[in-house]
Amino acid sequence: MNNSMYKDLCYIKPKIYLNRKFFLSCEELILASYLQSCGKPYQWIYSDGWDFSYDTLSQTLCMGKDSRFANLNTMFGIQKISTRGSKLNSLIGSATEKGMCLIIFAETRYISEEHNYYQKDRSHFYMIRPTVNPDKVVSVVSWLPEYEREVDYSSLEKAYEATNCESYLLTPPIKSEVSLLRQLKKCHSQMTGTDDESNRSYGLAGMDKFIERWRQASGIINDRIEIDELKEVITRRTKFAEFLLSIMDNMDYDPQQRYVIRLYEVAEQCINQWTYFRNSLIRKKSIHNTDLSDLITRLELIRDSEHDMVENFNEFIVYLEGVDDLQNIQVYGRVGAILSEKYSVYVEEGAADLRLLGLDSISIINFIVDIEAEFGIQFMDHELVVDEFATVDAITSKIMEKICEGRSE
């Protein structure tokens, strides 16, 4: 993709499906803004985030590696280029010229005095909008708290230098996300879990060891209980729930969306149960209550919910084995949307003959023209054989063939 397409990119406020605050950090909201501004779904970079691992030797709850930037590269071809110590004006000029996204780490107190958050001595991530003349004023954006305005360059430079000139660039995306099936299989594997040779247990296996530790605690609550780690468990599951909602948003007309709906419902149940467990633990520590029996019961319920999640995952994966990937599902949904909105035809079975649902040959040709406009593709005259466009399944297959042809050119 030509980098010049991103030179005048206006970073938009990211769309969040979940009505939950602060499950994305200021930096993560910036990444979401960049991806959505480029027409990419940010939720995908958290699609393998159902981590849970327990170290039986040290008796500690451990979280896996942060895979955001690895997924940015794998899914979208976006590279992160660290630029510590570089001059700010040259960074802004280079990012603007090359169509890259510049993200800096800066002291808030130098940037604004209008908001209590910014009056304190703290560091914060900002994205810099493309700027042709950076030596005067620079347009900066942050989404937690929301902040969009032009800042005097000298003030921004002070804020940037106060953090030892820490920043990085993100290159433009060059490809679409990877297979939904592959990502869900990866997450399913994490959820199922195993024991390894380093004394760590993962997924459900890790949960079993974690619960056993609590049963053996004999009413002792001490500082080794992982309050922060439990918060991260909740956060990662919340990000995954957001990913599921983004899938559902593209599957409105797919008859198999019930799989995703069920997955989301169980994910929400897991999030709520982990939250109740953590809050109860904090309260017990605060009032020095050492009775763990109710907490152990909560953990066992959580374990049951996570097991339910694994089973629902497996059902969805079996279905996806015959679907190929999310784009196929999205295409199916968009085709169904055109049929319902423009032709008042509602398809429940992909193999149903559209001619039997009220479309004649002229309507089908007009429908094909609508499809070409919707997907930015074009069929040759000799390809306009009505019999080959008579079902949604056949149409979806035709569209995917054209999309694949476009990728190979």
Side-chain angles (χ1 to χ4, degrees):
M1 188 172 291
N2 193 329
N3 288 5
S4 63
M5 292 178 60
Y6 298 96
K7 286 185 179 180
D8 299 317
L9 195 64
C10 183
Y11 302 127
I12 61 175
K13 184 177 180 178
K15 178 180 179 180
I16 307 294
Y17 293 94
L18 283 169
N19 187 26
R20 295 177 182 271
K21 293 184 178 180
F22 310 128
F23 72 92
L24 293 176
S25 67
C26 63
E27 182 184 18
E28 289 168 336
L29 284 167
I30 286 173
L31 296 179
S33 176
Y34 178 58
L35 282 171
Q36 291 197 336
S37 298
C38 296
K40 305 297 181 183
Y42 82 88
Q43 294 90 350
W44 276 78
I45 64 176
Y46 303 113
S47 58
D48 58 355
W50 199 277
D51 285 354
F52 188 96
S53 58
Y54 180 70
D55 191 316
T56 55
L57 190 62
S58 62
Q59 293 193 330
T60 55
L61 178 61
C62 310
M63 300 309 300
K65 293 181 179 179
D66 182 354
S67 59
R68 290 175 298 170
F69 293 104
N71 286 343
L72 276 174
N73 185 255
T74 301
M75 298 175 183
F76 305 109
I78 296 174
Q79 295 183 38
K80 177 187 178 184
I81 304 173
S82 298
T83 53
R84 180 186 290 271
S86 300
K87 281 288 186 180
L88 182 59
N89 57 356
S90 62
L91 270 178
I92 296 173
S94 177
T96 301
E97 175 62 28
K98 296 177 181 178
M100 296 185 184
C101 175
L102 173 60
I103 298 171
I104 68 170
F105 197 49
E107 286 284 354
T108 59
R109 57 194 169 97
Y110 292 107
I111 293 178
S112 175
E113 299 178 355
E114 299 180 14
H115 194 291
N116 288 336
Y117 181 92
Y118 294 102
Q119 292 175 15
K120 298 178 181 179
D121 186 9
R122 58 170 52 138
S123 300
H124 195 63
F125 285 97
Y126 297 91
M127 63 198 310
I128 308 299
R129 283 204 170 104
T131 306
V132 176
N133 192 358
D135 293 325
K136 295 182 179 180
V137 293
V138 180
S139 179
V140 301
V141 182
S142 181
W143 300 111
L144 185 65
E146 191 169 331
Y147 179 88
E148 295 181 82
R149 66 188 59 198
E150 291 187 336
V151 175
D152 178 74
Y153 174 77
S154 60
S155 298
L156 185 63
E157 187 177 45
K158 286 180 182 178
Y160 170 68
E161 291 177 349
T163 62
N164 298 317
C165 303
E166 184 177 342
S167 60
Y168 60 88
L169 294 160
L170 296 176
T171 62
I174 58 174
K175 59 182 179 179
S176 298
E177 63 271 18
V178 299
S179 163
L180 171 66
L181 179 60
R182 186 189 310 171
Q183 286 305 106
L184 291 186
K185 280 186 173 180
K186 185 175 181 181
C187 191
H188 181 268
S189 176
Q190 290 175 337
M191 291 172 61
T192 305
T194 57
D195 294 330
D196 66 14
E197 296 178 357
S198 63
N199 298 302
R200 281 196 181 181
S201 300
Y202 299 89
L204 294 178
M207 278 213 66
D208 288 338
K209 297 291 178 62
F210 187 63
I211 294 172
E212 185 60 30
R213 167 197 165 188
W214 277 75
R215 291 198 183 103
Q216 297 172 358
S218 302
I220 299 174
I221 296 181
N222 54 44
D223 291 335
R224 294 181 66 186
I225 301 298
E226 305 87 345
I227 300 295
D228 291 338
E229 286 80 0
L230 287 171
K231 182 179 180 181
E232 182 64 17
V233 169
I234 297 165
T235 297
R236 295 197 180 198
R237 279 147 180 73
T238 305
K239 291 174 182 176
F240 183 76
E242 177 76 7
F243 167 65
L244 292 177
L245 284 178
S246 73
I247 296 175
M248 288 166 59
D249 194 36
N250 291 284
M251 295 178 65
D252 291 342
Y253 294 89
D254 189 278
Q256 303 299 331
Q257 67 172 310
R258 64 180 180 272
Y259 291 108
V260 185
I261 292 173
R262 178 57 183 154
L263 280 173
Y264 171 73
E265 289 172 347
V266 181
E268 271 287 304
Q269 181 173 305
C270 290
I271 293 166
N272 291 332
Q273 288 176 325
W274 277 113
T275 301
Y276 298 151
F277 174 78
R278 182 174 180 270
N279 290 345
S280 296
L281 175 59
I282 293 172
R283 183 179 182 183
K284 282 182 178 291
K285 291 190 69 173
S286 177
I287 63 177
H288 306 290
N289 182 345
T290 60
D291 182 8
L292 301 183
S293 57
D294 59 325
L295 292 180
I296 294 172
T297 300
R298 285 186 184 275
L299 276 178
E300 291 170 342
L301 291 173
I302 293 172
R303 206 275 183 193
D304 290 342
S305 295
E306 299 232 348
H307 184 270
D308 191 17
M309 192 78 182
V310 171
E311 290 186 339
N312 279 276
F313 245 112
N314 189 60
E315 291 179 8
F316 189 37
I317 286 171
V318 169
Y319 161 65
L320 286 178
E321 295 281 2
V323 173
D324 185 26
D325 62 12
L326 178 61
Q327 186 172 29
N328 203 326
I329 298 174
Q330 291 173 326
V331 168
Y332 187 107
R334 287 159 71 184
V335 170
I338 296 172
L339 281 170
S340 62
E341 292 169 7
K342 298 197 68 172
Y343 299 90
S344 299
V345 171
Y346 299 89
V347 178
E348 295 184 1
E349 296 291 339
D353 194 317
L354 298 178
R355 293 167 294 191
L356 298 180
L357 296 176
L359 291 188
D360 57 21
S361 59
I362 295 176
S363 297
I364 291 179
I365 296 297
N366 290 333
F367 177 43
I368 293 171
V369 172
D370 292 331
I371 288 171
E372 290 176 326
E374 173 72 15
F375 293 96
I377 59 179
Q378 185 172 6
F379 294 100
M380 304 299 291
D381 287 345
H382 70 270
E383 294 178 297
L384 302 182
V385 180
V386 171
D387 287 344
E388 296 183 7
F389 288 85
T391 69
V392 174
D393 284 346
I395 293 167
T396 300
S397 178
K398 290 282 188 182
I399 294 170
M400 291 300 295
E401 288 176 7
K402 285 293 181 183
I403 291 174
C404 291
E405 288 175 10
R407 288 175 181 169
S408 62
E409 291 178 355

